[in-house]
Amino acid sequence: MTTGLIPGGQPPEPQPTGESMPQQRREPPGDTALPADNRPRSSVITARAAASFEPVGRSVATARSFVRDTLQGWGFADIVDDAVVLTSELVTNAVVHAGTHADVLCLRTEDGVRIEVSDRYPEREVPLQSSAVSMGSPDREGGRGLQLCAALATRWGVDYTPTHKNVWFQLDLPERPVGTRTAGPALPADLLPLADGRVRVAVLQIDRKGGISAWNEDAEELFGYPASDVIGKPLTDLAAWPHTPGTGTGIAEALQLSRWEGTYGIRRSDGRVAQVYASHLRVRDTGGEPSTVCLLVRDHERAVLQSPPRVPAGDQSPSSDGQNTDPFEVFIGSPAPDDLDGLLQRTVERARDMLDGDSAFLLLATDDETELEVRASTGLPSARQRFARVPVEAGPGRYGSARMPAVHDDLAAVPGAVPLLAGTGMRSVVTVPLKVEGRLTGSLGVAAEAPGRYTNEEALRLQFAADRIALAVESARLGELERLRRGSLSFLVEASDLLAGTLDRDQTLALMAQMTVPTLATWCAVYTIADQASEAYLSYVLHEDEELIDGIKSLLAKIPPPDPVPTPGARVWTAPGEVAHQAALRSSMRSLGLSGGPTHRIASGIGPTLATASAVGGETVVLPLVARNRVIGMLTLGKPTDEHFRQEILELAEDLSRRAALALDNARLYSERTAISQSLQRSLLPPGLPQIDGVEVEVIYRAAGEGNEVGGDFYDLFPIGNGAYGFAIGDVCGTGPNAAAVTGLARHALRLLAREGLSGPAVLQRLNSAILDEGDRSRFLTLLYGELRPQKDGSAELKVVCAGHPLPLRLRQDGTVTAAAEPQPLLGVIEDLELYEETVTLDPGDVLLCVTDGVTERREGSRMLGDDGLADVLTTCTGLTAGAVAARIMRAVERFASDAPSDDMAILAMRVPGIHQLA
């Protein structure tokens, strides 16, 4: 039967079985063979990992990657190389030569690791213990697995069953000082990571549903929430996960990974976002229930959690299976990451390991090949460098161009030769281009802290690796670009819908800012320009942390606005960052008493100043808002300290700025035209109604159409003289501005002609001639005109002319309703108009109601209110005041149909109070 390991026990030692006895470690030929150490050792198994591989050639590289990642995750970097070589040989024997599945089991013990490779081809080919070890020809295709075990492993053995063969080997950790796990180079004090007093490590445990199940005291101190407030809540409620349209891994996906490290934000209890560096580990309890343990520190204290650099891989040799190995797999490992960021990060790590460097970086070229954008780095302050851009041609000669390999022996001798490495402590660097079909797609570099580390030989090795991965990187970049563009298209469609949904200027400004923060930028400011002679004005400021908005607004108010350059595209604006840095520096100096003034008055303002400086300390860009060939403003986008915009985000912001500029200009034009229209319309209405002794007067006016105050219907009441008053109510054919123009002509002409002492028919005949003189602009007009004279006996005498208008209705005290005039021809149709006036006397308590056809022609389906319906409503108004009568009529008209009125409506009610009311 097969031999296995029991958790917590010791690995079983292989027992002698004649010729099948496992070969123990031997000395190289020529040396004196020492007795094999077969004494059992007590080794407790502390972790295990297993994987199965299909009988295909690609499985060899996959198994190497599995073992490498497992051992590096356990911290066994010292024995990774030997373990990978042995696993590669044994898996090759199984999947290639034997053609069976291979099962790999890694067992971690206190002093080393044991790896078992099982296959389903139980052939006994074990070297005899007495025979000398001979590795044979290096070109030999097989048979070297057990010999390598004998040469490299501390102990090894083979176990057989009728169906399986299990080859195992054990590698002990080398002797090293107690407590040493890994070490880095000595650094100057100014390059050590900065920590604020006590370093706090927040420990969170997230259950399988994403809810917080554990929250320690450091988490409470860092984020301000007591455990009772967050236990059971989803982590997504607190996490400010970085978001790019169409790309990126979400927090939910990251929590499902077995191991994850990276940077994101946590929303504190005070509303601010704290940037943290996190290390996630997926575990399960004794019941098999999975959960994720999250360790979080402040982002600038990431060195506490960040994984140490990997040791050189040493796995670039061709496979011993005799088949051609994909150079890309040799360099990257298998399986290759399926996302661009993962591929780039794996590339820089393997490049650094290959040349035994202290740091590495990879830059991707923009579409026009004029700039390179930092996309991945290791051993460098990545938060500060990510998405930073450098020119492709930095200077004359091959050393200033990213299109050619370059080796710098000592950067201290040529300051600024590699701007990306300024202030990092790196002295020597080798860079090579990434090219696809002769086109520059990126640049790969490896740097070391010691000078003179690299020669042309290392440059050739790195160039060879760059040539192998360039196509895969470009393919992944195009895939990410396609996803980003799809996300951008969806973003722009939604933005266009939102911007098109309003014509209010202030709301448009708010939408512009809310769409950019935090999707495109951390903060934004919108400047507007009223006209070409005006200066840019700061109109709106927004930051993802609301507490910082006032500080940024105050800072920008002290800075001259950016120049309104109409050139499309984003341009860098350094003024906010520089001014913020200077202000923070002055505040810090005053707080230390270096300015000579009292410090207690300044200390309270230091926090906001430093927070503002950090908020605007990153890259700031300005995009012009151009509409109708004129710059109407600027959209300013900013990042916090040491952060940069990626090129795709700037292109997306440029597209958004064009749409936002047009929406903002449309809102401006709409506001201006609305103001002009309303001003002109108000001039067509009488400024007020005169007070008439002995007569109550009430008017209700409703213009059809949104934003209209005056349409084709109009009314007027004005003094003529000698105690007489003129009144009119009319309806011009149509609605809107054209009808309103005739309305103005009619109302003002009536006043002028009536005050000349003309009679009613004469006034209307002259108005008819004036309307016909308008030519094509003329419109026919229905008009009820009359003169009102209060009488000493409490009654009122009216002389009325009804030119094509709905007849006025008279309501008597007994509730009877009758027409108060007869119909006559309307105005604006024929030249020779014969009109006459009628005299009506209103007794005390009588009401005269005058309306336009918008009231009588109110419809609900096939039903119409009509003259009879209006008379029925008026019948119910006996004893009401003029105001109450007008209100009841309007309420009845509105209730008659559910739809909004489609025609202008005017109601003029005049009532003679009773004798007791006059008293």
Side-chain angles (χ1 to χ4, degrees):
M1 60 182 294
T2 185
T3 303
L5 291 178
I6 302 174
Q10 66 181 33
E13 294 294 332
Q15 300 299 322
T17 57
E19 293 183 355
S20 300
M21 184 183 67
Q23 175 70 32
Q24 302 299 325
R25 182 166 183 167
R26 301 179 59 89
E27 298 297 330
D31 295 341
T32 304
L34 298 176
D37 184 8
N38 291 325
R39 292 173 298 174
R41 300 182 182 182
S42 177
S43 299
V44 177
I45 298 173
T46 58
R48 66 177 63 215
S52 182
F53 303 96
E54 297 181 353
V56 294
R58 186 181 181 88
S59 295
V60 179
T62 307
R64 288 198 298 264
S65 178
F66 163 70
V67 172
R68 179 187 304 281
D69 291 341
T70 299
L71 268 58
Q72 286 175 339
W74 290 348
F76 288 173
D78 294 331
I79 58 176
V80 164
D81 293 340
D82 289 348
V84 167
V85 170
L86 294 178
T87 302
S88 178
E89 292 295 334
L90 297 178
V91 173
T92 298
N93 291 339
V95 303
V96 176
H97 299 305
T100 73
H101 284 73
D103 299 321
V104 179
L105 174 65
C106 300
L107 303 172
R108 185 181 68 185
T109 63
E110 298 171 341
D111 52 1
V113 65
R114 171 178 170 133
I115 297 178
E116 300 179 0
V117 179
S118 299
D119 62 55
R120 301 168 190 178
Y121 190 74
E123 182 180 359
R124 289 170 169 77
E125 292 186 359
V126 182
L128 296 178
Q129 184 174 2
S130 59
S131 62
V133 177
S134 174
M135 299 301 296
S137 170
D139 297 328
R140 182 179 174 188
E141 289 192 1
R144 300 187 302 178
L146 299 182
Q147 294 175 338
L148 284 174
C149 289
L152 299 178
T154 305
R155 290 182 295 163
W156 69 278
V158 183
D159 302 323
Y160 292 101
T161 69
T163 59
H164 289 77
K165 178 179 66 179
N166 181 34
V167 182
W168 61 269
F169 61 87
Q170 181 165 327
L171 296 172
D172 291 341
L173 293 176
E175 295 294 333
R176 51 187 172 181
V178 176
T180 300
R181 179 179 182 273
T182 184
L187 294 176
D190 58 346
L191 295 181
L192 295 175
L194 179 65
D196 297 336
R198 173 189 167 187
V199 176
R200 296 185 180 274
V201 180
V203 180
L204 287 63
Q205 191 151 1
I206 313 301
D207 59 28
R208 68 184 309 165
K209 297 181 179 179
I212 300 174
S213 58
W215 182 272
N216 72 340
E217 294 181 358
D218 279 359
E220 179 177 343
E221 184 67 25
L222 286 175
F223 310 125
Y225 302 101
S228 58
D229 289 352
V230 295
I231 296 296
K233 292 185 177 180
L235 180 61
T236 52
D237 289 355
L238 303 180
W241 196 259
H243 173 64
T244 300
T247 63
T249 300
I251 179 68
E253 290 79 5
L255 290 174
Q256 297 300 317
L257 301 177
S258 61
R259 186 181 296 273
W260 184 90
E261 286 188 24
T263 302
Y264 54 88
I266 295 292
R267 295 182 180 87
R268 293 168 43 89
S269 60
D270 58 7
R272 296 185 177 182
V273 176
Q275 292 296 322
V276 298
Y277 188 84
S279 176
H280 298 175
L281 178 64
R282 189 80 164 158
V283 299
R284 60 175 178 164
D285 59 21
T286 55
E289 186 72 13
S291 62
T292 303
V293 177
C294 305
L295 306 181
L296 294 81
V297 297
R298 299 180 182 93
D299 187 54
H300 61 275
E301 297 170 346
R302 61 171 52 205
V304 177
L305 299 181
Q306 195 165 20
S307 296
R310 294 184 176 183
V311 297
D315 189 25
Q316 291 110 24
S317 59
S319 173
S320 61
D321 57 13
Q323 299 183 1
N324 294 329
T325 304
D326 185 357
F328 172 75
E329 284 190 7
V330 171
F331 184 70
I332 294 296
S334 180
D338 57 0
D339 63 300
L340 178 62
D341 289 337
L343 176 60
L344 298 183
Q345 192 62 34
R346 180 83 67 88
T347 298
V348 295
E349 291 175 357
R350 293 296 168 88
R352 178 200 59 192
D353 295 348
M354 184 178 71
L355 298 187
D356 196 17
D358 297 313
S359 65
F361 52 88
L362 193 149
L363 303 86
L364 294 183
T366 56
D367 291 338
D368 57 5
E369 298 183 29
T370 59
E371 288 186 314
L372 295 166
E373 189 176 66
V374 179
R375 291 300 303 271
S377 64
T378 181
L380 297 174
S382 57
R384 176 169 65 88
Q385 304 293 350
R386 187 166 170 79
F387 301 125
R389 290 177 296 278
V390 297
V392 171
E393 307 291 344
R398 59 165 295 193
Y399 292 102
S401 173
R403 302 180 186 277
M404 298 291 291
V407 177
H408 294 276
D409 291 330
D410 193 353
L411 293 178
V414 282
V418 184
L420 188 64
L421 300 179
T424 61
M426 301 298 161
R427 297 285 296 277
S428 55
V429 60
V430 53
T431 61
V432 296
L434 276 68
K435 293 184 177 182
V436 175
E437 297 180 351
R439 181 174 60 88
L440 179 69
T441 60
S443 178
L444 177 63
V446 178
E449 295 178 350
R453 283 280 298 275
Y454 302 114
T455 63
N456 290 338
E457 181 181 353
E458 281 81 6
L460 290 174
R461 291 179 60 196
L462 189 61
Q463 184 66 72
F464 179 81
D467 293 340
R468 303 286 78 76
I469 66 168
L471 185 59
V473 169
E474 180 66 4
S475 176
R477 187 189 73 85
L478 293 176
E480 182 197 62
L481 188 60
E482 177 63 22
R483 291 191 298 272
L484 180 61
R485 285 176 177 168
R486 290 185 179 181
S488 300
L489 181 61
S490 175
F491 172 78
L492 291 174
V493 168
E494 182 180 358
S496 299
D497 289 343
L498 291 174
L499 291 172
T502 179
L503 287 172
D504 182 81
R505 175 182 176 275
D506 294 337
Q507 189 174 359
T508 301
L509 290 172
L511 284 174
M512 291 170 57
Q514 292 167 5
M515 285 185 292
T516 57
V517 176
T519 304
L520 304 181
T522 306
W523 65 271
C524 84
V526 183
Y527 291 85
T528 56
I529 303 175
D531 52 62
Q532 295 181 353
S534 302
E535 295 290 334
Y537 174 75
L538 181 61
S539 299
Y540 203 92
V541 176
L542 183 65
H543 190 281
E544 62 181 9
D545 186 347
E546 294 183 358
E547 293 188 1
L548 297 177
I549 294 177
D550 291 338
I552 297 177
K553 188 181 299 183
S554 176
L555 175 71
L556 294 178
K558 301 175 183 177
I559 304 174
D563 297 330
V565 178
T567 306
R571 52 193 174 91
V572 177
W573 187 31
T574 59
E578 294 173 352
V579 173
H581 177 72
Q582 294 171 3
L585 182 60
R586 288 194 299 268
S587 296
S588 298
M589 294 180 65
R590 287 196 298 267
S591 68
L592 297 174
L594 300 180
S595 59
T599 61
H600 64 280
R601 298 180 182 178
I602 307 296
S604 61
I606 295 175
T609 301
L610 295 177
T612 302
S614 177
V616 302
E619 188 174 35
T620 302
V621 297
V622 177
L623 297 104
L625 298 175
V626 181
R628 298 175 175 88
N629 298 321
R630 186 175 74 86
V631 180
I632 64 171
M634 286 84 69
L635 177 63
T636 303
L637 307 179
K639 288 281 190 178
T641 300
D642 295 335
E643 291 194 18
H644 301 266
F645 288 98
R646 60 186 302 176
Q647 186 64 32
E648 292 84 355
I649 293 297
L650 294 180
E651 293 174 358
L652 178 58
E654 185 179 354
D655 287 340
L656 176 64
S657 68
R658 286 195 292 267
R659 289 165 170 78
L662 187 59
L664 183 61
D665 199 47
N666 288 339
R668 178 188 63 83
L669 293 175
Y670 178 79
S671 299
E672 291 178 355
R673 293 179 181 181
T674 300
I676 294 173
S677 175
Q678 292 175 349
S679 178
L680 292 175
Q681 289 182 53
R682 281 192 292 269
S683 70
L684 303 178
L685 294 175
L689 297 177
Q691 295 292 329
I692 303 177
D693 293 337
V695 178
E696 297 175 359
V697 180
E698 182 65 27
V699 174
I700 295 178
Y701 185 88
R702 296 285 189 273
E706 183 180 357
N708 292 330
E709 293 187 15
V710 175
D713 292 5
F714 69 96
Y715 69 92
D716 202 0
L717 180 64
F718 54 92
I720 297 176
N722 298 325
Y725 293 86
F727 67 91
I729 182 170
D731 184 4
V732 179
C733 176
T735 59
N738 293 330
V742 179
T743 297
L745 171 65
R747 194 177 72 82
H748 291 94
L750 284 174
R751 287 198 174 206
L752 290 174
L753 295 172
R755 286 171 178 171
E756 291 294 325
L758 299 177
S759 64
V763 169
L764 268 60
Q765 287 168 355
R766 285 168 172 76
L767 176 59
N768 180 62
S769 299
I771 294 174
L772 292 175
D773 289 342
E774 291 293 309
D776 295 338
R777 295 183 298 177
S778 66
R779 289 171 175 254
F780 64 82
L781 167 67
T782 68
L783 180 64
L784 172 66
Y785 173 75
E787 294 181 1
L788 169 67
R789 292 180 182 272
Q791 304 297 312
K792 293 182 179 180
D793 60 358
S795 63
E797 183 184 77
L798 288 80
K799 294 181 178 181
V800 181
V801 180
C802 186
H805 197 78
L807 299 179
L809 300 179
R810 177 181 180 179
L811 172 65
R812 295 183 180 275
Q813 284 186 326
D814 59 3
T816 59
V817 175
T818 59
E822 294 181 356
Q824 300 184 54
L826 51 76
L827 308 181
V829 179
I830 58 177
E831 294 184 2
D832 297 330
L833 207 60
E834 295 183 2
L835 301 171
Y836 58 91
E837 65 183 5
E838 301 174 72
T839 301
V840 180
T841 300
L842 294 181
D843 296 327
D846 289 354
V847 175
L848 184 71
L849 177 66
C850 309
V851 300
T852 58
D853 61 3
V855 174
T856 57
E857 295 180 0
R858 177 71 163 154
R859 293 180 178 274
E860 173 67 20
S862 60
R863 297 187 306 120
M864 185 172 70
L865 179 63
D867 295 333
D868 294 339
L870 179 63
D872 292 341
V873 176
L874 184 59
T875 302
T876 64
C877 297
T878 304
L880 299 180
T881 64
V885 171
R888 179 169 292 186
I889 297 298
M890 177 56 71
R891 187 163 57 251
V893 171
E894 291 175 343
R895 291 178 176 176
F896 186 80
S898 57
D899 296 337
S902 59
D903 195 6
D904 304 330
M905 292 186 294
I907 300 174
L908 172 61
M910 292 182 289
R911 178 177 180 271
V912 178
I915 301 298
H916 66 281
Q917 292 175 321
L918 291 175

